[in-house]
Amino acid sequence: MNIFRLAGDMTHLASVLVLLLKIHTIKSCAGISLKTQELYALVFVARYLDIFTDFISLYNTTMKLIFLGSSLSIVWYMRRHKIVRRSYDKDQDTFRHFYLVLPCLLLALVINERFTFKEVMWTFSLYLEAVAILPQLVLLQRTRNIDNLTGQYVFLLGGYRALYILNWIYRFFTEPHYVHWITWIAGLIQTLLYADFFYYYFQSWKNNERLHLPA
């Protein structure tokens, strides 16, 4: 554990709390892509298959339970909650997200560090997480105007991955034989997907304007 890893985890946790705050207090999921939330739920299910078999630390297990439980609960709220689901913009959230799943799974079967079930599922989760934000970004471009909580949620998600890149750089220079090309490349692609959003987010903050993305 180092400061960049801890900051990344806390930023990721903050993004989840912001989204849950929006859902619980405002009883709205407007501007949130259910497709992205379903992909994240699948990411965590595939990644944390070892949650009850491999104990690393109390911190590690707690974070796994938080991310897994929160992602599943968000999907439930958006699909089943009688008030929250009314605010879901199904007509705008039309990205064919399941088309992302099969290519990521096939890539994980071909390119992985070890050909075991858990390792392939772990690698699949890395590939899928790298592109899971795409439906959300497309939805934001279509809706144009973005409320503060939604903007903060997406910003924190991108910030978490950027901090993890700093964590990898730090570990590369401080730990012998620390090389994980699959994780690094997937994380870099994921961060690059946020580049356009980051630009407009900082522009809106600098000019004290409401955040909106060009179509």
Side-chain angles (χ1 to χ4, degrees):
M1 180 67 70
N2 60 68
I3 188 62
F4 300 114
R5 164 74 185 275
L6 182 61
D9 286 347
M10 293 303 103
T11 304
H12 193 185
L13 180 60
S15 73
V16 173
L17 292 177
V18 166
L19 182 52
L20 288 173
L21 177 68
K22 175 185 174 80
I23 291 174
H24 279 283
T25 59
I26 307 177
K27 293 294 187 293
S28 171
C29 62
I32 301 299
S33 169
L34 175 60
K35 308 297 179 65
T36 283
Q37 298 308 315
E38 289 175 338
L39 291 177
Y40 278 131
L42 183 55
V43 164
F44 294 127
V45 168
R47 182 170 299 173
Y48 299 146
L49 292 173
D50 63 348
I51 192 169
F52 297 116
T53 59
D54 301 333
F55 180 80
I56 299 174
S57 67
L58 180 60
Y59 172 85
N60 183 269
T61 300
T62 300
M63 296 302 283
K64 287 179 179 180
L65 288 171
I66 289 173
F67 291 130
L68 184 58
S70 61
S71 64
L72 293 173
S73 67
I74 290 167
V75 171
W76 181 86
Y77 267 103
M78 294 184 70
R79 281 191 170 276
R80 300 298 181 187
H81 193 279
K82 61 181 180 180
I83 298 176
V84 174
R85 68 181 183 181
R86 293 176 189 167
S87 59
Y88 171 52
D89 194 350
K90 184 177 180 180
D91 293 334
Q92 295 285 353
D93 191 24
T94 58
F95 192 102
R96 297 174 184 263
H97 63 320
F98 289 115
Y99 287 169
L100 298 173
V101 176
L102 184 57
C104 289
L105 181 58
L106 292 175
L107 188 60
L109 287 169
V110 175
I111 303 176
N112 52 72
E113 293 187 357
R114 286 196 313 272
F115 193 73
T116 64
F117 178 72
K118 284 185 180 179
E119 186 64 31
V120 169
M121 287 297 99
W122 169 268
T123 307
F124 164 66
S125 77
L126 293 177
Y127 295 151
L128 188 59
E129 186 184 12
V131 296
I133 196 62
L134 284 174
Q136 180 65 65
L137 294 177
V138 170
L139 177 61
L140 294 182
Q141 285 185 318
R142 289 175 176 173
T143 55
R144 301 296 295 275
N145 289 318
I146 305 162
D147 65 78
N148 287 335
L149 287 178
T150 301
Q152 290 168 9
Y153 163 68
V154 177
F155 175 76
L156 288 168
L157 266 183
Y160 129 74
R161 184 47 76 186
L163 285 166
Y164 255 63
I165 290 179
L166 295 178
N167 161 57
W168 298 331
I169 294 172
Y170 175 83
R171 294 182 66 183
F172 177 77
F173 286 107
T174 59
E175 298 180 18
H177 313 298
Y178 179 75
V179 178
H180 294 283
W181 288 109
I182 292 175
T183 304
W184 295 349
I185 293 172
L188 181 60
I189 291 172
Q190 182 180 352
T191 306
L192 289 174
L193 289 177
Y194 286 90
D196 193 54
F197 175 86
F198 283 153
Y199 172 78
Y200 289 103
Y201 184 91
F202 284 116
Q203 285 292 108
S204 69
W205 175 78
K206 183 178 70 172
N207 299 323
N208 196 26
E209 298 175 345
R210 189 180 181 90
L211 174 63
H212 67 275
L213 302 180

